[in-house]
Structure formats: structure tokens, C-alpha cells
Amino acid sequence: MLSFDGFRNAVIEDYRIAMISREVSLLGRREVLTGKAKFGIFGDGKEIAQIAMAKFFQPGDFRSGYYRDQTFMFATGLASVEQYFAQLYADPDVKNEPFSAGRQMNAHFSTRFVDENGNWLDLANRKNVSSDIAPTAGQMPRGLGLAFASRCFRSNKNPEAFEQLSHHGNEICFTTIGDASTSEGHFWETINAAGVLQVPLAVFVWDDGYGISVPKNFQTTKGSISAALKGFQKQADTNGIHIYKVKAWDYAGMCEVFEEALQKVRETHQPALFHVEEVTQPQGHSTSGSHERYKSPERLEWEKEWDCIKKMKEWMIENGLASIEELTEVEAAAKETVKEARNRAWEKYVTPIKEQAEQAATLIRQVMVNDIDKYNAIQQMANELASNKEPLRRDILRAIAVAIETAPFSPSAEELKALRVQMLEENTSLYNSHLYNEGAKSALNVPEVKPLVAFDAPTVNGYEVLNKYFDALFAANPKVYAFGEDVGYIGDVNQGFAGLQEKHGKDRILDTGIRELTIVGQAIGMALRGLRPIAEIQYLDYLLYGLQPLSDDVSTTHFRTKGQQSCPVIIRTRGHRLEGIWHSGSPMGVVINALRGMYVCVPRNMVQAVGMYNTMLQSNDPAIIVECLNGYRLKEKLPDNLLEYTVPLGVPEIIREGTDVTLVSYGSTLRIIQDATDRLAAEGIDCEIVDVQTLLPFDLNHVILQSLKKTSRIIFIDEDVPGGAAAYMFNKVMEEQGGYKWLDASPRTLTAKAHRPGYGSDGDYFAKPNAEDVMDAVRSLMAE
Ligand SMILES: Cc1ncc(C[n+]2csc(CCOP(=O)(O)OP(=O)(O)O)c2C)c(N)n1
């Protein structure tokens, strides 16, 4: 409850923030059009709705939004105008641009989730923003996961253990999306999953009528997302989501609806969607085009009339909350505030570059060269560099390189070379770092612990190794959750979790709908909030459905926040070899190229797989672990120290020693190769087999090179298509390890055919490398 004056002041403060945000949009666009920034996308037209929404965003809550949310960020105090402009200029200094250290386009926000050592901060007491991504609707699956984590925290039997991460699951995830992006499957899958799961997800749809130029009647059934969603609407006796309609210019109306509805979301965990209608876009979609090209004069006129800030101003005056003079003053002050912040951001961004430009220009001027034309050209280049008001780092490096090329023997060329090296080093840390964790939480720094296999260790089926491991894991680590299709009640299609739901609870080991995309999203949100999800994709063939968030979101999280957020999801899947077109896939080339930023583990058996789970769970890096589909019923010796032993990443294992040929492979193919090498031995050919164990990272210590030095012959074998992961391994060993120097015969790859295998065992035999293929390849290599 506020006094009238208190209320009045709060409203004027809201108006001030709206005006500041509008000025940011106007000035931001100008910065792009005058060439100081490359691209701009702004939140004008959405100011008032976001101010209303921000009022109910509490410490502990999360935002999973998109590039229109600058006003929300200003209103919650999570972004300053200066930081906003720093991002517009792509300032790589994280102190100036804390959202992405200049790595993301403007208006892609985030807040810090982990400290420098990779420990989770007290997110329960902070307002949290998961790092935005540009692919439209990409924020939806992650939003589901952030909300789902609240459910996990609320149902956890040991909430004190998570005090720093959650207050009993009272946190809402606020998700924003443009009306056109609701056409994406991501939106529908998320809404359905939220309706089924009943999670505290609040979705705000900013409906400005267009997706760039395409109007909403081309986007949405019935031209209205709230109308199209009617069947999802929660009734008293059903699950589903609550749906509200509000107008983007109705400040008072939105405050009222949001307050009550969000309180309900928080308390009941029932999701809600707010269809915010009559949103305008005063400057059009972005700096890349003009909206006059696709909006009618009437629409443009209507947008001016129904501008949300104009309407708020009218409302304030009508209700005696402020005079025109007062508001004019607020407007003028906002202009000034934004200009000053812009100037500060620019100075901070450009000063270090100018200093380096000056330093380089001084050295370039000292270059000695006999040819007067060349001398003059160099002097001119130095002067241009020193006087450039908007120099880029690449301009400096180019000028240095040109000077060295022109006068390689000049004394100052040495200094220029040293400056170049220094700049390249510095810029590597600015532009190329943090793809993975680099410190204590790096998976590469997890110490190796060998499995202890007792003399009389029991021999069990592969799936039983996993089952016993998961049982122990769930008893020991309350942060671990597992979910996916058929993972809960029957304990996954290969029984890795058989009986474990009953033992460890339906809230920890869960069935999901058939929805790989949001299974991944669920994992992302949980991982960001400090849990340790193991998300199952039933077969590797179906990973493609969930690949987009793994590639665009998980793989880039650490990089695009410069290490301020970590997303340690573990994707558990099974693949390589079974039957038919969609249960036999091994598209590892796709996986390793789409998922730089994740680790890719390809264990040959379940004992190795367990070691990889243990390694990953000790780190903050995300990974995919591809179990062998045909390995669950193979017999393995059960180690004693199931929870302790680790498999180091990037360390191949030589599983058969030999002197004639090195055969490099992974996963199920190794068993085919073993059959072949046993038979080749009878012919007197002695093969060495290397199991690479992980494709990302790949053979960090060049174990394969050592083998090649011994054998001088090498074949890379897998079940991927030609040019896939076998070609990747080939490239790594030949180029990175310099393997070509040790060859006595041409190096080869042996892969599956380009087509997928026909159904049945013969389909497999004639499509994938079989033992006879391996033997032929080895014999022909030996005959060279
Ligand atoms: C997956 C994907 N497809 C296309 C784009 C290019 N794109 C960027 S924004 C946009 C329109 C989005 O419209 P809407 O969802 O209504 O949001 P608005 O920009 O109007 O706020 C498009 C097509 C993209 N970023 N991602």
C-alpha cells in the first residue's frame, strides 16, 4: 500500500525509465546509421509492458527472453544505459559490457550465475537473466527448464541443501517472445510441456503484428495467439495454462493483471501466458530496414497514436498524477542522461584501442625504407591510423603487418613484430577464450582414477553396470536428475534405470513426453540453476530433434557469457549399431561439428561410460555420452569403485597392441575391428587398435602419433558417412599431430556408405564397415 504521493512518485519514476529506454532506442539507431556500431535492434514500443512486468520480477526469478527486453533490464536494475551502449559498440571488456563481453549483438542480455572458480552464486537472492540467443523462440525450451527447476527444488526432500539456489521453488521463469516467433515449433512444444508439467513459467508475447515484414495472419491461426491457444487453457479440473489478454499501452491495466496472475503462478506453479496486444514498433524491426516498406500509412498513423509512452503520459495527466511541465522536464533529463551514458560508453570502448593505434603509429613512423614512395605511403598509413576516430583492432594489426612487409629489415620492424605478438595474445583472450571451462571446473582437469576390478569381480550385462552405477549415484548426489522418454516407470528402454524410480522417487527419475527439443531445454534450465541433469535422448538418430538448443544454446553458453554462466548438461543417448534406417545412426560428424563447446564421449562399453559420467559430473562442462546400442547385453566385469573412477577426456586407449597397422576407431565398430584383427593375426598381420574414447576433445597427448611412429600405417574406421568423423580423426592426426611424416603407405578412412543401412542384419552388413571390409583394407595397405 502506497500513499498518494508514493504512488505518484512511483508512476513518474516508471515514466522516467520508459523515456530513458525510448531515448536509448532513438540514439542507438543513430549510432548505427552513423557507423559507430554495426547493427542495432531496439525495444521501442514495448516500454510500458516491460516496466509493468519488471515490478513483479523478484530475487530468485529468472528471465529467458529475447532482444526486445531492454526496458525490462533497465527497470529491474540489471542493465545500465552505459552497459547497453558498450554492447552496441561490441566492447570486449567484460567490465564495460557485462552481458557477453562484446561477443553478442546488442540487447542480448545475461547476468552472472557462477563465480570465477565456477561455483554457483546465491541465485535464490538475485534477479537472474539467462543469456539470450538470436534464433527466434530459442529461449522457450530453456525457459521451460528454468521453470521446471523450481518444481525440482520444491519437491526435493532436502531443500536446505539448496538454500542458496532456491527458496523452496518459489521462483518464476519470465519468458518473452515476439508474436511471429510463436509460429516456431519450439513455442508449441514448450507450451504443451508446461501445461503437462505444471511449472511456474510466465510467457509474455509482445504482439506488434509482424515478424519483420510478415503480418500475423500469415503467422498464426486465427491471427491471434491467445485464440489459437484456447485448447491449452487451464480449467478448474484440468491441467493447462492460464491465458490473459492485455493492451501494451494500458499501464494500469497491465500492472493489475500481472500482479495477480504472477502471484498465482508463483504459488501454484500453474503456467500463464500473457498475450500483450497492440504493441507498436516506432522505428521498425531493426537498423537493417525500414518499416515504411511493409506497413500501410494507416498502420503507421495508428502506431503513432497508440504509442504506449504517449498513452501513459495522457493517462498520468488525466488522472492528475503529473503536469505536462513536470513530464517535459523528465523527458529532457532522460535525453541528457542517455547522451552522457552513451559518451562514457564510447570513451571507455575506444580509448584502449586508440592508445594501441597511437603506439603502433609511432613505431610505424620510425620504419626505414629506401624507396621514397614506399616511405611516404607508410607515413600516410601511420597518420591515418593515429587520426582515425573509430579505429578497430584489425585496422591496427593490418597496418602493423603492412609496415613489416614493406620494410622487413628496418630496426623498428622487430618492435612492430613484438607488438603484433602481444596484440594477438591479448585479442585471443578477448575474442577466442572460454569455449569450455578453463580452470578448476574444466572436465580436462578432473583427475584420473582407475576402475578397480577385483580378481573375483562379478561379470554382468552392460546395462547392469549402468543400473548399479545410477543407483549409487542417485543415493549419493541429490543434484542429479534423470529424465526422458521411458526413463521413469520402465527405467529406460534398455533398463539402465530399471527399478530406480521406485527407489529414488518420481521427482528425480522421470518420464517425459516425446519431445526431444524440450527435453534438452529442460536440461538446460536445470543445469543453469545448479542442478545436474542427465537428459536422455532415446536414440542417437533422434538427437537431430534436440540438436538446435544443444548447438545454439548449450555449446555457446560459456563462450557467449565469457564464462559467467555454465550449462553442465549431460545428454545420455545410445547409437551406432542396430537395425534399420532410424535405429542404427552414427552421425558423429554432424555431432562434433554442431557441438563445439560440448564434449563428445563415445565409450566402447558401459564400464567406460560410467567413468565418463563420473568425469563430467565433477566438472562444469556439458557433454553428450553415446552408449553402444548393441552393448547392453554384452558381459563386463563390474568395478568396485563405481562412483569414484573417472575416464580422462581426450586420452585414447590402446586396446590391442600390434606392430604393422594402426586402426583408429571408437564405440561399437571396435568389436568389428577386433574380430578382423584376430583373423588377420592368423595371416601374420599384427594390428594395433586405438580406441579414441572421446571425439571432443581428441587425443590431447598424441597417443595415436606414437602408435603411427611404430607401425607407419594407419586406417581411421567408423560407421559415419564418408567425410564424417573418420575424416575428422584423419585430419587431426595428419595435420595437427603431423602424422604424415611417419607414413609408409597412404593413410585411409573406412566408413559406412553414404546411404543409411537397409533394415535387417544384411542391410547393416552391406552399409557399414564389416570385418571383411576391415581385413581387405588392412591387406591392401600391407601390400602397398
Ligand atoms: C530461427 C530464426 N529464424 C529467423 C530469424 C530472423 N529473424 C530475426 S527476428 C525475426 C522476426 C521476429 O518477429 P517477432 O517474433 O514478432 O519479434 P519482434 O522482432 O517483432 O519483436 C526474424 C524472422 C532468426 N533470428 N531466427
Side-chain angles (χ1 to χ4, degrees):
M1 294 301 283
L2 290 173
S3 66
F4 178 74
D5 270 352
F7 173 67
R8 191 182 104 86
N9 290 341
V11 175
I12 293 175
E13 174 59 13
D14 284 349
Y15 185 75
R16 192 183 70 81
I17 294 170
M19 278 314 302
I20 284 182
S21 186
R22 180 62 60 90
E23 280 304 321
V24 164
S25 302
L26 299 174
L27 196 56
R29 185 177 173 86
R30 239 174 287 153
E31 294 297 272
V32 176
L33 299 185
T34 56
K36 275 164 80 187
K38 277 212 120 164
F39 171 78
I41 195 151
F42 305 102
D44 43 322
K46 295 160 181 86
E47 292 92 347
I48 305 304
Q50 291 183 20
I51 282 172
M53 163 195 176
K55 285 182 186 301
F56 310 105
F57 190 72
Q58 295 183 3
D61 286 344
F62 283 77
R63 167 184 164 280
S64 179
Y66 79 118
Y67 51 78
R68 294 288 180 208
D69 295 346
Q70 67 194 51
T71 314
F72 173 83
M73 293 298 292
F74 296 144
T76 48
L78 294 174
S80 72
V81 174
E82 191 180 314
Q83 291 165 342
Y84 185 92
F85 277 96
Q87 193 178 40
L88 190 69
Y89 301 137
D91 188 335
D93 185 338
V94 73
K95 290 196 292 304
N96 302 336
E97 198 281 74
F99 318 122
S100 72
R103 292 175 180 200
Q104 291 232 61
M105 279 178 168
N106 82 305
H108 288 66
F109 301 106
S110 74
T111 55
R112 191 181 258 286
F113 289 2
V114 292
D115 68 17
E116 281 79 6
N117 302 318
N119 299 312
W120 258 257
L121 300 171
D122 58 338
L123 302 188
N125 301 309
R126 294 163 172 251
K127 295 180 177 177
N128 306 295
V129 170
S130 63
S131 169
D132 295 338
I133 59 175
T136 51
Q139 69 276 27
M140 296 298 299
R142 172 173 6 106
L144 177 78
L146 290 166
F148 182 78
S150 287
R151 203 183 111 163
C152 299
F153 288 122
R154 189 169 280 182
S155 64
N156 199 290
K157 290 171 193 72
N158 191 11
E160 305 76 44
F162 301 111
E163 242 167 35
Q164 187 206 356
L165 297 174
S166 170
H167 293 312
H168 304 281
N170 287 340
E171 305 80 19
I172 296 178
C173 177
F174 288 53
T175 295
T176 61
I177 185 166
D179 58 304
S181 300
T182 64
S183 308
E184 296 278 14
H186 291 47
F187 174 83
W188 294 93
E189 201 177 300
T190 299
I191 293 292
N192 182 54
V196 169
L197 291 170
Q198 296 292 280
V199 291
L201 181 71
V203 181
F204 296 79
V205 182
W206 311 136
D207 182 355
D208 60 14
Y210 296 85
I212 308 188
S213 67
V214 182
K216 65 179 172 184
N217 46 341
F218 284 21
Q219 303 273 6
T220 310
T221 300
K222 301 181 185 176
S224 160
I225 194 62
S226 49
L229 282 171
K230 277 267 153 50
F232 287 89
Q233 193 151 13
K234 185 173 167 12
Q235 313 293 334
D237 54 349
T238 68
N239 58 16
I241 67 172
H242 296 286
I243 297 173
Y244 304 87
K245 287 211 297 183
V246 292
K247 305 287 185 207
W249 43 264
D250 180 11
Y251 171 77
M254 284 188 293
C255 288
E256 207 177 312
V257 171
F258 291 170
E259 180 171 26
E260 199 184 315
L262 290 167
Q263 190 55 29
K264 186 142 110 190
V265 174
R266 202 178 292 286
E267 283 168 9
T268 64
H269 277 193
Q270 293 164 3
L273 178 132
F274 302 93
H275 184 188
V276 184
E277 295 182 294
E278 299 184 19
V279 180
T280 67
Q281 207 172 70
Q283 301 190 107
H285 176 77
S286 70
T287 51
S288 296
S290 88
H291 57 159
E292 286 81 5
R293 278 173 59 212
Y294 54 84
K295 287 182 187 163
S296 67
E298 295 74 39
R299 169 76 194 190
L300 290 167
E301 205 38 53
W302 177 86
E303 289 202 10
K304 275 194 195 126
E305 184 51 34
W306 290 88
D307 185 292
C308 59
I309 297 186
K310 177 169 179 281
K311 286 288 159 204
M312 180 176 180
K313 186 173 177 178
E314 287 168 10
W315 173 81
M316 288 168 78
I317 292 167
E318 264 167 34
N319 288 283
L321 292 165
S323 65
I324 293 190
E325 294 72 33
E326 253 176 304
L327 295 183
T328 309
E329 240 172 71
V330 170
E331 288 157 20
K335 260 197 175 65
E336 218 28 58
T337 305
V338 172
K339 233 189 261 168
E340 283 168 11
R342 186 269 321 253
N343 292 345
R344 284 197 304 275
W346 177 255
E347 280 312 311
K348 283 187 184 171
Y349 160 68
V350 87
T351 302
I353 310 179
K354 275 190 170 164
E355 282 169 5
Q356 262 174 350
E358 190 56 56
Q359 188 187 357
T362 307
L363 288 176
I364 292 170
R365 284 193 191 103
Q366 291 163 16
V367 161
M368 311 253 230
V369 53
N370 287 335
D371 182 322
I372 186 69
D373 291 338
K374 283 185 181 172
Y375 178 80
N376 286 341
I378 283 201
Q379 292 300 318
Q380 191 185 340
M381 186 176 73
N383 292 341
E384 278 170 12
L385 187 62
S387 61
N388 188 345
K389 289 205 178 75
E390 296 158 16
L392 291 170
R393 289 174 167 85
R394 68 174 187 188
D395 300 334
I396 307 173
L397 281 161
R398 186 173 198 284
I400 292 174
V402 170
I404 297 170
E405 285 152 32
T406 317
F409 306 113
S410 169
S412 68
E414 287 312 307
E415 285 178 77
L416 280 167
K417 280 183 197 161
L419 179 60
R420 180 164 185 266
V421 169
Q422 180 203 318
M423 279 188 70
L424 288 176
E425 251 171 44
E426 185 185 310
N427 289 324
T428 296
S429 111
L430 293 181
Y431 293 99
N432 309 115
S433 69
H434 292 86
L435 181 57
Y436 295 92
N437 278 269
E438 293 173 354
K441 295 292 180 180
S442 161
L444 306 186
N445 290 333
V446 172
E448 179 179 5
V449 177
K450 300 255 189 225
L452 299 176
V453 183
F455 175 68
D456 55 350
T459 300
V460 298
N461 290 309
Y463 79 85
E464 290 172 297
V465 176
L466 288 169
N467 189 265
K468 286 180 199 313
Y469 167 67
F470 287 137
D471 189 11
L473 177 66
F474 274 74
N477 189 342
K479 287 188 174 165
V480 180
Y481 286 75
F483 50 92
E485 297 151 20
D486 305 291
V487 169
Y489 189 66
I490 65 164
D492 92 45
V493 287
N494 292 95
Q495 302 179 53
F497 283 100
L500 299 188
Q501 185 187 60
E502 208 178 326
K503 197 162 168 191
H504 299 285
K506 283 187 179 142
D507 53 332
R508 303 239 353 251
I509 299 169
L510 301 87
D511 283 320
T512 67
I514 305 177
R515 48 175 183 80
E516 289 77 11
L517 175 70
T518 48
I519 287 173
V520 172
Q522 208 167 320
I524 295 173
M526 294 167 76
L528 288 171
R529 291 187 65 180
L531 296 173
R532 302 304 307 230
I534 299 176
E536 178 162 319
I537 299 294
Q538 200 162 72
Y539 297 98
L540 179 56
D541 304 72
Y542 308 126
L543 184 74
L544 291 182
Y545 278 56
L547 196 60
Q548 186 275 332
L550 288 174
S551 182
D552 287 330
D553 206 349
V554 176
S555 300
T556 66
T557 301
H558 200 256
F559 172 79
R560 73 183 196 266
T561 60
K562 208 175 182 195
Q564 298 178 103
Q565 293 183 6
S566 277
C567 190
V569 302
I570 295 179
I571 301 298
R572 173 183 188 227
T573 189
R574 53 188 71 87
H576 301 320
R577 202 140 196 151
L578 206 67
E579 301 293 338
I581 294 180
W582 287 284
H583 295 83
S584 58
S586 191
M588 298 314 298
V590 172
V591 171
I592 56 181
N593 286 314
L595 302 185
R596 302 294 161 106
M598 290 182 72
Y599 288 125
V600 176
C601 304
V602 278
R604 66 180 177 273
N605 60 31
M606 305 311 158
V607 167
Q608 294 307 101
V610 164
M612 292 171 185
Y613 284 111
N614 280 331
T615 300
M616 294 318 306
L617 285 166
Q618 287 185 39
S619 89
N620 279 356
D621 286 314
I624 176 166
I625 299 178
V626 184
E627 296 166 11
C628 294
L629 195 38
N630 61 5
Y632 294 110
R633 297 213 168 253
L634 299 180
K635 305 294 176 211
E636 299 187 42
K637 285 266 187 194
L638 187 69
D640 277 347
N641 54 345
L642 273 180
L643 279 184
E644 283 89 43
Y645 74 91
T646 55
V647 169
L649 304 190
V651 181
E653 198 176 317
I654 295 180
I655 58 172
R656 182 188 198 284
E657 290 196 12
T659 52
D660 292 332
V661 188
T662 300
L663 304 178
V664 182
S665 190
Y666 56 88
S668 298
T669 313
L670 289 166
R671 283 183 275 281
I672 304 280
I673 296 173
Q674 278 168 321
D675 176 20
T677 53
D678 287 349
R679 289 156 59 193
L680 284 165
E683 295 176 16
I685 302 176
D686 188 16
C687 299
E688 178 143 309
I689 308 177
V690 184
D691 174 7
V692 302
Q693 306 217 78
T694 61
L695 287 165
L696 294 177
F698 185 83
D699 188 11
L700 296 171
N701 306 320
H702 298 188
V703 168
I704 300 170
L705 185 69
Q706 293 312 318
S707 171
L708 181 57
K709 283 183 184 174
K710 184 167 61 170
T711 63
S712 309
R713 298 182 191 88
I714 194 162
I715 311 180
F716 301 89
I717 309 171
D718 75 357
E719 303 174 28
D720 199 357
V721 293
Y728 158 83
M729 297 193 291
F730 182 103
N731 169 265
K732 282 280 190 187
V733 175
M734 290 306 136
E735 184 179 335
E736 204 175 280
Q737 303 191 5
Y740 68 94
K741 289 182 231 160
W742 302 92
L743 292 169
D744 280 348
S746 56
R748 301 188 185 186
T749 60
L750 178 60
T751 68
K753 301 279 189 300
H755 60 78
R756 301 189 188 196
Y759 174 60
S761 299
D762 282 345
D764 171 271
Y765 183 86
F766 290 107
K768 297 212 167 183
N770 55 55
E772 288 72 39
D773 292 336
V774 175
M775 293 175 75
D776 286 346
V778 171
R779 285 187 199 117
S780 98
L781 205 61
M782 293 302 293
E784 253 188 44

